[in-house]
Amino acid sequence: MTVRAVLVLFVCSVLSACVSNTGAPVMRTEEGRSQARDAYIQLAIGYLQEGITEQAKAPLKKALEIDPNSADAHAVLALVFQNELEPELAAQHYRKALSQGKNTRIQNNYGGFLYEQGDYQAAYEQFKSASQDTMYSGRSRVFESMGLTALRLNNKDLALQHFERSLRLNPQQPQTLLEAAILLYERQEYVPAQNYYARFEQVGEHSARSLLLGTRLANIFQDRNKAASLALQLKRLYPASAEYQQYQSEHR
């Protein structure tokens, strides 16, 4: 049985249970309406997770009919429109969701949406606000996002600060490790760059960027065998990449 089928059954069970022991419609009670609203939102999330965004709209419409101010319903609808490449509608529903009060998860998602749209300064402000929630379970990813956004804003020093903060919270994030290693290499701080790179190799998968950095660090530390191995992988896997062209220009 699919996740969607399970959620449909769940919604049906919630709605069929919306009659009290006295026979009065529970939908007239705050608790009953809240349960129905949340059931519709969960059904929409199930559709969204399966990539069926069109069908996610109907239960969200039902949820908003029950509670027009539901931050979660507006946030999920924003994700639906974001996936459907409707940025104006997505932004509208993100703003409606956040108008109901601070919500770290929604702020983080909104920041990701703004980053996707190229509005890096606004994205950074959303991530910065989200990072202040010290109990948020995804806080390390928020700092990673702040670092990536700072790079887009051409502030490499700030980006490195955020990457290092992220790795203090979760030391096994491949992208963060690689970005920190690249920034440290550019600052000619080769030992800490190598430390981050070694940790990246334990948890991440190579890309053209990581292979190029690996060859550079291996040459600096005179590990010729590793330098040759990484260069061969770069040539074999990414022969048309800018990184391989850069490698060739450095070894002429």
Side-chain angles (χ1 to χ4, degrees):
M1 183 177 291
T2 66
V3 172
R4 175 160 44 93
V6 171
L7 287 168
V8 169
L9 290 174
F10 171 66
V11 172
C12 290
S13 67
V14 170
L15 297 179
S16 65
C18 286
V19 177
S20 68
N21 293 332
T22 61
V26 177
M27 283 291 285
R28 293 180 182 174
T29 69
E30 183 176 349
E31 181 181 0
R33 289 171 64 83
S34 294
Q35 289 178 350
R37 175 202 63 203
D38 293 345
Y40 281 125
I41 293 171
Q42 289 303 312
L43 177 58
I45 291 172
Y47 283 125
L48 185 59
Q49 289 175 338
E50 293 192 9
I52 313 173
T53 58
E54 284 186 330
Q55 293 189 40
K57 294 175 187 175
L60 289 171
K61 182 179 179 182
K62 292 282 189 182
L64 289 170
E65 287 173 356
I66 296 171
D67 181 3
N69 296 319
S70 170
D72 286 335
H74 282 296
V76 176
L77 192 52
L79 287 171
V80 169
F81 285 125
Q82 185 175 344
N83 276 274
E84 292 186 344
L85 303 179
E86 296 282 359
E88 293 182 3
L89 291 172
Q92 175 184 329
H93 285 283
Y94 273 123
R95 289 193 292 266
K96 285 183 178 180
L98 291 171
S99 70
Q100 303 306 311
K102 181 176 173 60
N103 184 304
T104 303
R105 173 179 52 80
I106 297 174
Q107 276 192 310
N108 187 40
N109 289 344
Y110 186 35
F113 165 76
L114 292 168
Y115 182 95
E116 184 180 280
Q117 295 301 306
D119 192 348
Y120 301 121
Q121 188 59 55
Y124 185 84
E125 293 304 321
Q126 291 297 326
F127 291 136
K128 183 178 179 181
S129 180
S131 73
Q132 294 170 5
D133 183 354
T134 58
M135 299 303 292
Y136 182 51
S137 61
R139 196 169 181 230
S140 63
R141 298 304 297 271
V142 176
F143 281 112
E144 178 184 76
S145 297
M146 291 175 73
L148 293 171
T149 309
L151 283 178
R152 292 289 189 173
L153 294 170
N154 297 314
N155 192 333
K156 293 184 176 182
D157 290 341
L158 182 61
L160 182 58
Q161 291 176 29
H162 290 316
F163 290 140
E164 290 178 334
R165 185 73 180 276
S166 176
L167 291 169
R168 282 185 174 272
L169 297 172
N170 181 354
Q172 296 188 342
Q173 298 179 90
Q175 184 174 13
T176 313
L177 288 165
L178 179 60
E179 297 295 344
I182 290 172
L183 290 173
L184 287 165
Y185 170 84
E186 290 176 352
R187 290 166 61 159
Q188 299 184 356
E189 297 181 31
Y190 299 129
V191 171
Q194 175 61 29
N195 289 338
Y196 278 132
Y197 187 77
R199 287 164 56 184
F200 161 79
E201 288 190 297
Q202 293 176 357
V203 297
E205 296 183 1
H206 275 300
S207 63
R209 292 177 75 224
S210 69
L211 290 169
L212 177 60
L213 176 64
T215 62
R216 288 169 167 173
L217 289 170
N219 284 321
I220 287 170
F221 289 99
Q222 300 181 347
D223 189 340
R224 294 180 180 178
N225 289 336
K226 184 167 185 177
S229 174
L230 293 175
L232 183 60
Q233 291 182 61
L234 181 58
K235 178 181 179 179
R236 179 171 56 86
L237 297 174
Y238 307 100
S241 67
E243 286 80 6
Y244 182 59
Q245 293 176 16
Q246 180 64 36
Y247 172 80
Q248 287 181 307
S249 70
E250 293 175 4
H251 293 81
R252 285 175 182 167

